[in-house]
PDB file of all heavy atoms in Angstrom:
ATOM      1  N   LEU A 767      72.905  10.645 295.966  1.00 95.00           N
ATOM      2  CA  LEU A 767      71.892   9.779 296.679  1.00 95.00           C
ATOM      3  C   LEU A 767      72.336   8.407 296.962  1.00 95.00           C
ATOM      4  O   LEU A 767      71.603   7.723 297.815  1.00 95.00           O
ATOM      5  CB  LEU A 767      70.625   9.801 295.906  1.00 95.00           C
ATOM      6  CG  LEU A 767      69.948  11.225 295.779  1.00 95.00           C
ATOM      7  CD1 LEU A 767      68.685  11.037 294.836  1.00 95.00           C
ATOM      8  CD2 LEU A 767      69.707  11.833 297.154  1.00 95.00           C
ATOM      9  N   LYS A 768      73.452   8.023 296.471  1.00 95.00           N
ATOM     10  CA  LYS A 768      73.786   6.455 296.678  1.00 95.00           C
ATOM     11  C   LYS A 768      74.093   6.269 298.270  1.00 95.00           C
ATOM     12  O   LYS A 768      74.764   6.980 298.915  1.00 95.00           O
ATOM     13  CB  LYS A 768      75.242   6.397 296.079  1.00 95.00           C
ATOM     14  CG  LYS A 768      75.369   4.773 295.646  1.00 95.00           C
ATOM     15  CD  LYS A 768      76.589   4.627 294.891  1.00 95.00           C
ATOM     16  CE  LYS A 768      76.988   3.071 294.783  1.00 95.00           C
ATOM     17  NZ  LYS A 768      78.125   3.009 293.933  1.00 95.00           N
ATOM     18  N   GLY A 769      73.249   5.303 298.692  1.00 94.00           N
ATOM     19  CA  GLY A 769      73.495   4.809 300.094  1.00 94.00           C
ATOM     20  C   GLY A 769      72.685   5.689 301.055  1.00 94.00           C
ATOM     21  O   GLY A 769      72.701   5.365 302.226  1.00 94.00           O
ATOM     22  N   THR A 770      72.050   6.705 300.599  1.00 93.00           N
ATOM     23  CA  THR A 770      71.127   7.474 301.546  1.00 93.00           C
ATOM     24  C   THR A 770      69.846   6.617 301.944  1.00 93.00           C
ATOM     25  O   THR A 770      69.340   5.888 301.205  1.00 93.00           O
ATOM     26  CB  THR A 770      70.765   8.778 300.871  1.00 93.00           C
ATOM     27  OG1 THR A 770      70.057   8.556 299.697  1.00 93.00           O
ATOM     28  CG2 THR A 770      71.824   9.725 300.678  1.00 93.00           C
ATOM     29  N   LEU A 771      69.465   7.018 303.211  1.00 92.00           N
ATOM     30  CA  LEU A 771      68.223   6.364 303.632  1.00 92.00           C
ATOM     31  C   LEU A 771      67.021   7.408 303.425  1.00 92.00           C
ATOM     32  O   LEU A 771      67.181   8.468 303.012  1.00 92.00           O
ATOM     33  CB  LEU A 771      68.412   6.174 305.194  1.00 92.00           C
ATOM     34  CG  LEU A 771      69.548   5.273 305.547  1.00 92.00           C
ATOM     35  CD1 LEU A 771      69.659   5.088 307.065  1.00 92.00           C
ATOM     36  CD2 LEU A 771      69.390   3.863 305.072  1.00 92.00           C
ATOM     37  N   THR A 772      65.887   6.885 303.663  1.00 88.00           N
ATOM     38  CA  THR A 772      64.569   7.668 303.639  1.00 88.00           C
ATOM     39  C   THR A 772      64.764   8.883 304.365  1.00 88.00           C
ATOM     40  O   THR A 772      64.560  10.041 303.613  1.00 88.00           O
ATOM     41  CB  THR A 772      63.443   6.904 304.248  1.00 88.00           C
ATOM     42  OG1 THR A 772      63.193   5.769 303.334  1.00 88.00           O
ATOM     43  CG2 THR A 772      62.191   7.735 304.225  1.00 88.00           C
ATOM     44  N   LYS A 773      65.235   8.899 305.537  1.00 91.00           N
ATOM     45  CA  LYS A 773      65.262  10.226 306.301  1.00 91.00           C
ATOM     46  C   LYS A 773      66.327  11.188 305.903  1.00 91.00           C
ATOM     47  O   LYS A 773      66.131  12.355 305.744  1.00 91.00           O
ATOM     48  CB  LYS A 773      65.420   9.979 307.820  1.00 91.00           C
ATOM     49  CG  LYS A 773      66.714   9.348 308.244  1.00 91.00           C
ATOM     50  CD  LYS A 773      66.797   9.264 309.753  1.00 91.00           C
ATOM     51  CE  LYS A 773      67.974   8.553 310.262  1.00 91.00           C
ATOM     52  NZ  LYS A 773      69.274   8.591 309.714  1.00 91.00           N
ATOM     53  N   ASP A 774      67.385  10.574 305.322  1.00 93.00           N
ATOM     54  CA  ASP A 774      68.387  11.441 304.640  1.00 93.00           C
ATOM     55  C   ASP A 774      67.752  12.178 303.407  1.00 93.00           C
ATOM     56  O   ASP A 774      67.995  13.444 303.311  1.00 93.00           O
ATOM     57  CB  ASP A 774      69.543  10.658 304.080  1.00 93.00           C
ATOM     58  CG  ASP A 774      70.223   9.721 305.108  1.00 93.00           C
ATOM     59  OD1 ASP A 774      70.204  10.164 306.317  1.00 93.00           O
ATOM     60  OD2 ASP A 774      70.759   8.719 304.811  1.00 93.00           O
ATOM     61  N   LYS A 775      67.071  11.463 302.606  1.00 94.00           N
ATOM     62  CA  LYS A 775      66.380  12.136 301.474  1.00 94.00           C
ATOM     63  C   LYS A 775      65.552  13.218 301.890  1.00 94.00           C
ATOM     64  O   LYS A 775      65.407  14.179 301.210  1.00 94.00           O
ATOM     65  CB  LYS A 775      65.852  11.095 300.554  1.00 94.00           C
ATOM     66  CG  LYS A 775      66.829  10.184 299.826  1.00 94.00           C
ATOM     67  CD  LYS A 775      66.308   9.441 298.698  1.00 94.00           C
ATOM     68  CE  LYS A 775      65.933   7.876 298.993  1.00 94.00           C
ATOM     69  NZ  LYS A 775      67.003   7.132 299.392  1.00 94.00           N
ATOM     70  N   ASN A 776      64.635  12.849 302.867  1.00 93.00           N
ATOM     71  CA  ASN A 776      63.658  13.763 303.397  1.00 93.00           C
ATOM     72  C   ASN A 776      64.327  15.057 303.836  1.00 93.00           C
ATOM     73  O   ASN A 776      63.929  16.097 303.785  1.00 93.00           O
ATOM     74  CB  ASN A 776      62.825  13.186 304.427  1.00 93.00           C
ATOM     75  CG  ASN A 776      61.766  12.285 303.887  1.00 93.00           C
ATOM     76  OD1 ASN A 776      61.453  12.441 302.771  1.00 93.00           O
ATOM     77  ND2 ASN A 776      61.030  11.621 304.721  1.00 93.00           N
ATOM     78  N   GLU A 777      65.452  14.841 304.512  1.00 94.00           N
ATOM     79  CA  GLU A 777      66.343  15.935 305.093  1.00 94.00           C
ATOM     80  C   GLU A 777      66.919  16.833 304.022  1.00 94.00           C
ATOM     81  O   GLU A 777      66.707  18.077 304.045  1.00 94.00           O
ATOM     82  CB  GLU A 777      67.569  15.286 305.914  1.00 94.00           C
ATOM     83  CG  GLU A 777      68.274  16.359 306.596  1.00 94.00           C
ATOM     84  CD  GLU A 777      67.526  17.218 307.594  1.00 94.00           C
ATOM     85  OE1 GLU A 777      66.470  16.770 308.079  1.00 94.00           O
ATOM     86  OE2 GLU A 777      67.945  18.425 307.909  1.00 94.00           O
ATOM     87  N   ILE A 778      67.335  16.172 303.033  1.00 94.00           N
ATOM     88  CA  ILE A 778      67.830  16.978 301.792  1.00 94.00           C
ATOM     89  C   ILE A 778      66.707  17.767 301.254  1.00 94.00           C
ATOM     90  O   ILE A 778      66.892  19.038 300.994  1.00 94.00           O
ATOM     91  CB  ILE A 778      68.395  16.078 300.747  1.00 94.00           C
ATOM     92  CG1 ILE A 778      69.682  15.381 301.090  1.00 94.00           C
ATOM     93  CG2 ILE A 778      68.667  16.798 299.347  1.00 94.00           C
ATOM     94  CD1 ILE A 778      70.226  14.267 300.171  1.00 94.00           C
ATOM     95  N   LEU A 779      65.659  17.242 301.014  1.00 95.00           N
ATOM     96  CA  LEU A 779      64.429  18.042 300.509  1.00 95.00           C
ATOM     97  C   LEU A 779      64.104  19.129 301.231  1.00 95.00           C
ATOM     98  O   LEU A 779      63.861  20.262 300.771  1.00 95.00           O
ATOM     99  CB  LEU A 779      63.275  17.005 300.420  1.00 95.00           C
ATOM    100  CG  LEU A 779      63.269  16.051 299.111  1.00 95.00           C
ATOM    101  CD1 LEU A 779      62.074  15.095 299.173  1.00 95.00           C
ATOM    102  CD2 LEU A 779      63.208  16.865 297.828  1.00 95.00           C
ATOM    103  N   PHE A 780      64.084  18.862 302.567  1.00 95.00           N
ATOM    104  CA  PHE A 780      63.577  19.972 303.546  1.00 95.00           C
ATOM    105  C   PHE A 780      64.567  21.025 303.727  1.00 95.00           C
ATOM    106  O   PHE A 780      64.415  22.236 303.418  1.00 95.00           O
ATOM    107  CB  PHE A 780      63.130  19.299 304.848  1.00 95.00           C
ATOM    108  CG  PHE A 780      62.465  20.301 305.625  1.00 95.00           C
ATOM    109  CD1 PHE A 780      61.132  20.646 305.234  1.00 95.00           C
ATOM    110  CD2 PHE A 780      62.976  20.851 306.730  1.00 95.00           C
ATOM    111  CE1 PHE A 780      60.294  21.554 306.102  1.00 95.00           C
ATOM    112  CE2 PHE A 780      62.184  21.691 307.693  1.00 95.00           C
ATOM    113  CZ  PHE A 780      60.925  22.117 307.227  1.00 95.00           C
ATOM    114  N   SER A 781      65.809  20.665 304.088  1.00 95.00           N
ATOM    115  CA  SER A 781      66.755  21.628 304.521  1.00 95.00           C
ATOM    116  C   SER A 781      67.418  22.479 303.279  1.00 95.00           C
ATOM    117  O   SER A 781      67.505  23.674 303.420  1.00 95.00           O
ATOM    118  CB  SER A 781      67.961  21.028 305.199  1.00 95.00           C
ATOM    119  OG  SER A 781      68.551  20.057 304.455  1.00 95.00           O
ATOM    120  N   GLU A 782      67.450  21.821 302.099  1.00 95.00           N
ATOM    121  CA  GLU A 782      68.145  22.496 301.051  1.00 95.00           C
ATOM    122  C   GLU A 782      67.042  23.210 300.064  1.00 95.00           C
ATOM    123  O   GLU A 782      67.356  24.093 299.439  1.00 95.00           O
ATOM    124  CB  GLU A 782      68.989  21.428 300.192  1.00 95.00           C
ATOM    125  CG  GLU A 782      70.088  20.735 301.086  1.00 95.00           C
ATOM    126  CD  GLU A 782      71.091  19.954 300.289  1.00 95.00           C
ATOM    127  OE1 GLU A 782      71.064  20.250 299.034  1.00 95.00           O
ATOM    128  OE2 GLU A 782      71.757  19.101 300.821  1.00 95.00           O
ATOM    129  N   PHE A 783      65.764  22.443 300.013  1.00 95.00           N
ATOM    130  CA  PHE A 783      64.842  23.033 298.974  1.00 95.00           C
ATOM    131  C   PHE A 783      63.467  23.474 299.689  1.00 95.00           C
ATOM    132  O   PHE A 783      62.646  23.853 299.009  1.00 95.00           O
ATOM    133  CB  PHE A 783      64.759  21.980 298.034  1.00 95.00           C
ATOM    134  CG  PHE A 783      65.870  21.598 297.313  1.00 95.00           C
ATOM    135  CD1 PHE A 783      66.580  20.437 297.665  1.00 95.00           C
ATOM    136  CD2 PHE A 783      66.342  22.360 296.329  1.00 95.00           C
ATOM    137  CE1 PHE A 783      67.737  20.102 297.048  1.00 95.00           C
ATOM    138  CE2 PHE A 783      67.589  22.055 295.661  1.00 95.00           C
ATOM    139  CZ  PHE A 783      68.358  20.845 295.946  1.00 95.00           C
ATOM    140  N   GLY A 784      63.555  23.275 301.065  1.00 95.00           N
ATOM    141  CA  GLY A 784      62.295  23.789 301.770  1.00 95.00           C
ATOM    142  C   GLY A 784      61.046  22.930 301.450  1.00 95.00           C
ATOM    143  O   GLY A 784      59.886  23.268 301.525  1.00 95.00           O
ATOM    144  N   ILE A 785      61.250  21.739 300.827  1.00 95.00           N
ATOM    145  CA  ILE A 785      60.233  20.901 300.463  1.00 95.00           C
ATOM    146  C   ILE A 785      59.755  19.866 301.706  1.00 95.00           C
ATOM    147  O   ILE A 785      60.729  19.004 302.026  1.00 95.00           O
ATOM    148  CB  ILE A 785      60.409  20.081 299.260  1.00 95.00           C
ATOM    149  CG1 ILE A 785      60.661  21.051 298.124  1.00 95.00           C
ATOM    150  CG2 ILE A 785      59.356  19.019 298.904  1.00 95.00           C
ATOM    151  CD1 ILE A 785      61.156  20.445 296.840  1.00 95.00           C
ATOM    152  N   ASN A 786      58.548  19.700 302.146  1.00 94.00           N
ATOM    153  CA  ASN A 786      58.267  18.823 303.051  1.00 94.00           C
ATOM    154  C   ASN A 786      57.611  17.557 302.341  1.00 94.00           C
ATOM    155  O   ASN A 786      56.554  17.820 301.735  1.00 94.00           O
ATOM    156  CB  ASN A 786      57.267  19.397 304.050  1.00 94.00           C
ATOM    157  CG  ASN A 786      56.755  18.396 305.155  1.00 94.00           C
ATOM    158  OD1 ASN A 786      57.032  17.234 304.981  1.00 94.00           O
ATOM    159  ND2 ASN A 786      56.119  18.923 306.113  1.00 94.00           N
ATOM    160  N   TYR A 787      58.322  16.598 302.354  1.00 92.00           N
ATOM    161  CA  TYR A 787      57.756  15.278 301.466  1.00 92.00           C
ATOM    162  C   TYR A 787      56.428  15.009 301.822  1.00 92.00           C
ATOM    163  O   TYR A 787      55.684  14.552 300.895  1.00 92.00           O
ATOM    164  CB  TYR A 787      58.841  14.102 301.740  1.00 92.00           C
ATOM    165  CG  TYR A 787      58.443  13.014 300.868  1.00 92.00           C
ATOM    166  CD1 TYR A 787      58.727  12.913 299.400  1.00 92.00           C
ATOM    167  CD2 TYR A 787      57.721  11.795 301.255  1.00 92.00           C
ATOM    168  CE1 TYR A 787      58.401  12.015 298.662  1.00 92.00           C
ATOM    169  CE2 TYR A 787      57.362  10.821 300.627  1.00 92.00           C
ATOM    170  CZ  TYR A 787      57.732  10.795 299.157  1.00 92.00           C
ATOM    171  OH  TYR A 787      57.325   9.826 298.358  1.00 92.00           O
ATOM    172  N   ASN A 788      56.115  15.083 303.048  1.00 88.00           N
ATOM    173  CA  ASN A 788      54.742  14.658 303.542  1.00 88.00           C
ATOM    174  C   ASN A 788      53.642  15.460 302.784  1.00 88.00           C
ATOM    175  O   ASN A 788      52.450  14.959 302.795  1.00 88.00           O
ATOM    176  CB  ASN A 788      54.502  14.780 305.129  1.00 88.00           C
ATOM    177  CG  ASN A 788      55.474  13.835 305.729  1.00 88.00           C
ATOM    178  OD1 ASN A 788      55.721  12.779 305.169  1.00 88.00           O
ATOM    179  ND2 ASN A 788      55.944  14.169 306.890  1.00 88.00           N
TER     180      ASN A 788
END
Side-chain angles (χ1 to χ4, degrees):
Chain A
L767 293 183
K768 208 173 163 182
T770 55
L771 304 176
T772 292
K773 68 172 169 40
D774 303 330
K775 285 193 270 292
N776 279 347
E777 185 55 28
I778 291 172
L779 280 175
F780 193 67
S781 59
E782 300 185 22
F783 304 96
I785 297 170
N786 179 350
Y787 184 75
N788 293 329

